[in-house]
Amino acid sequence: MLVQMVHIEVKPGHVDEFIEAFRINYEGTRAHEEGNLRFDVLRDPENEHKFMIYEVFRSDEDFQAHRQTEHYKECVRRIDPIITGPRSKTYFNAEMADYLP
């Protein structure tokens, strides 16, 4: 399993727009990608402009397929102008994740 954590900071005044853009990605991923096991959009409780996206995929192939979907591309297109800088990404392999479906 592949875990991706993406850290994003949104420009002031654009939080609602950001959430709506990520809703497109979230709903498309959960509805149409069997290889996605988890997708969480988390907001920093101390800074409403900072978000962390937590995604779990069955395999790297499933993750790469996700990056080719229209919902992913539309989300990126919408958020790129409203974030403060590049998205920071961290990847992990889930070694003991038998509890996941």
Side-chain angles (χ1 to χ4, degrees), residues 7-47:
H7 296 270
I8 302 170
E9 187 165 350
V10 179
K11 293 176 182 176
H14 294 279
V15 169
D16 290 341
E17 188 179 350
F18 173 82
I19 291 170
E20 188 55 36
F22 249 93
R23 184 180 316 282
I24 293 166
N25 194 14
Y26 171 84
E27 290 176 353
T29 300
R30 296 305 292 149
H32 304 292
E33 296 182 47
E34 291 181 18
N36 176 261
L37 302 175
R38 187 160 187 105
F39 193 123
D40 297 317
V41 178
L42 309 171
R43 184 191 279 189
D44 185 328
E46 296 180 11
N47 182 340

Side-chain angles (χ1 to χ4, degrees), residues 49-64:
H49 297 98
K50 289 186 178 183
F51 291 83
M52 199 266 289
I53 315 305
Y54 178 82
E55 298 170 272
V56 180
F57 292 89
R58 288 192 193 278
S59 68
D60 184 58
E61 292 80 16
D62 290 319
F63 170 67
Q64 295 305 327

Side-chain angles (χ1 to χ4, degrees), residues 70-87:
E70 290 305 313
H71 49 264
Y72 170 83
K73 291 177 183 179
E74 179 64 12
C75 177
V76 170
R77 184 188 71 76
R78 288 182 181 211
I79 69 167
D80 275 352
I82 61 170
I83 60 177
T84 62
R87 293 167 279 148

